[in-house]
Amino acid sequence: MDALRAQDPLRIGDYVLLARIGAGGMGVVYLGRSPGGRLVAVKVVREEITGHPEALARFRREAATVGAVRSAYTANLIDAGLDAAPYWIATEYVAGPTLARAVRERGPFPVVTCRRLVAAMAEGLASVHAYGVTHRDLKPQNVLLGSQGPQLIDFGIARGVEQTALTQDGQAPGTPGFTAPEVLTRNEVGAAADVFALGATVAYAATGRAPFGGGDAAAVSYRAVHEEIDTAGVEPGLAALIRACVEKDPARRPGPAELIRWCAVDTALVDDPAYHPLVAMAEVVPDTPQRPPNAPALAIHDLPTQGPPPSRPNPWLVAAGVGAVVGIAVATAVWLLPGNGGGDGGNGGEGGDKPDGPPGYIQDIGTYRHAWNGLRESCNLPGEEQPPLQFQYAVTTGENDPSGEIPLGKAEIGYRLKYEEPNLPPYYVSVEVKPPHLLDTDEFGYVSKAADLYEGDETQWKNLVYPDDFSDRAGGKVRPAPPLADDPGEWTVVYHHATSDKNHRSVVCHGFMADTVSE
């Protein structure tokens, strides 16, 4: 939970805003207090998307769904303002961490706890499905571990079971690795798709690993369609239950009632000894609004705004489990493991040239071979470390920029977090670019200055321009990066997590095609 920012309103409707709970692509969620003292979660649509009919329709659909589904496993609707901007809904406030945060900070759940989690979540899905609604985006971030049991949240893309799966722009709903094969390949939405997501979510709880591995969205979705879920090291009985939930054929998946019988629990999840410490991770609720020092009071319509993601990067399209990039390389890393651990640790350790401060320009420290091959649409080696939650990256060249803002012969390379991750320690990202003549070699490329991913608004794209922002600094000499036109072909882009100039690990590798044209 974060303090309110200077641009945040003091009130929404009748509710005094106390703090920020989180933020995402649709809007900001605040902790609010009613005139009578009741705590609520207030979701406010971002001002810049209020003019998009599909976005408002989705938000109103979420309000209608939450209002219609009255369940012990969902946060009930309290109030809403849907007639004019600012658009908002207020639901019950559930004190407790998300399942994603609990696993990230405390590690995988014991087997018995996982079985009780399955039973509780299955009961919750049965309750939701009884209203003719499918959630469509069940995942660890959308499960709150409250004192009364798990709560399903974020019904932003929930719809009636008879409705189509695709959104208006043709993208399959949900999150890669948790979206069922039939949704990805045939646009089929049903209760069985939620069971698939439940199985993937419990696999994450049991292992602490992304259920279908890491990589760009298309690669993860491809594995969800064609490959087996990761249950390595999971107790055989629980592994069999998970695999049953994620059967490729939805007709072969157990229903919620069958899952409850399968688990055969005799104790509620809330009475599980491993569950109590997780509920205690709930953040302290402030008594008064938490605002930055000397922040001016704003009118209610002065809502937080965020510039939309660059329109240039086209999202990966998934059809029949196969990803395709249209003109621009762009991907979302949806690993669910923490990215601020691992690596060499500390601020450099032995051999680090900046042990007492943040990294600047990283250097090669040994054998290194990442090279992008456009035919494979991936690098020949995986990342050495998994990136932070919802890390996104994009590359746009001047030749493929429909807006015409990027000059010919240059490339814009960006990264961000899709959703805000408050109160995390610095995570320094340095981007390396390798020209084609270094393809399949151990040589290091040209790098950007390391920057903290969490500094400022991490949901905003941090964009770099090649060759302007890149150089080679080996041996204490600064050599500017060569123009794209000097080396046409397949260029490699590697995102590194740096703890010092000489200690870093790659987290994502991709690339782009460069032609001979220049300004």
Side-chain angles (χ1 to χ4, degrees), residues 215-248:
D216 58 65
V220 174
S221 294
Y222 181 90
R223 288 193 289 270
V225 172
H226 297 286
E227 299 179 9
E228 296 301 314
I229 194 168
D230 177 9
T231 55
V234 178
E235 185 268 332
L238 179 61
L241 187 155
I242 291 171
R243 288 194 295 270
C245 289
V246 297
E247 281 277 358
K248 306 304 182 188

Side-chain angles (χ1 to χ4, degrees), residues 21-232:
I21 295 175
M26 280 286 289
V28 182
V29 182
Y30 298 100
L31 176 66
R33 187 179 61 226
S34 73
R38 183 177 189 176
L39 293 176
V40 296
V42 184
K43 178 185 281 191
V44 184
V45 173
R46 292 188 184 278
E47 186 177 87
E48 67 271 16
I49 69 171
T50 57
H52 295 270
E54 171 60 22
L56 285 181
R58 172 177 165 177
F59 189 70
R60 289 191 171 108
R61 186 166 62 243
E62 177 176 8
T65 301
V66 176
V69 176
R70 309 296 290 185
S71 168
Y73 297 93
T74 62
N76 292 324
L77 182 70
I78 304 298
D79 199 356
L82 303 173
D83 296 330
Y87 301 96
W88 56 275
I89 59 174
T91 62
E92 293 176 310
Y93 171 69
V94 179
T98 64
L99 177 59
R101 179 187 163 209
V103 174
R104 184 170 66 239
E105 296 184 11
R106 301 295 176 87
F109 290 8
V111 174
V112 173
T113 308
C114 284
R115 287 184 176 275
R116 290 169 178 157
L117 177 66
V118 171
M121 290 176 61
E123 193 168 85
L125 283 182
S127 177
V128 170
H129 293 166
Y131 287 89
V133 171
T134 54
H135 189 285
R136 303 205 311 165
D137 198 21
L138 178 61
K139 57 185 176 181
Q141 299 96 312
N142 285 344
V143 179
L144 286 175
L145 304 181
S147 60
Q148 302 301 313
Q151 301 281 303
L152 307 179
I153 62 171
D154 198 352
F155 282 81
I157 59 176
R159 294 196 184 194
V161 294
E162 75 285 352
Q163 291 175 286
T164 182
L166 286 185
T167 56
Q168 190 176 43
D169 61 3
Q171 298 298 295
T175 300
F178 298 89
T179 303
E182 67 273 16
V183 178
L184 293 168
T185 61
R186 301 189 301 275
N187 305 338
E188 293 180 1
V189 171
D194 282 346
V195 171
F196 181 96
L198 185 154
T201 297
V202 174
Y204 169 71
T207 66
R209 300 187 297 270
F212 288 95
D216 58 65
V220 174
S221 294
Y222 181 90
R223 288 193 289 270
V225 172
H226 297 286
E227 299 179 9
E228 296 301 314
I229 194 168
D230 177 9
T231 55

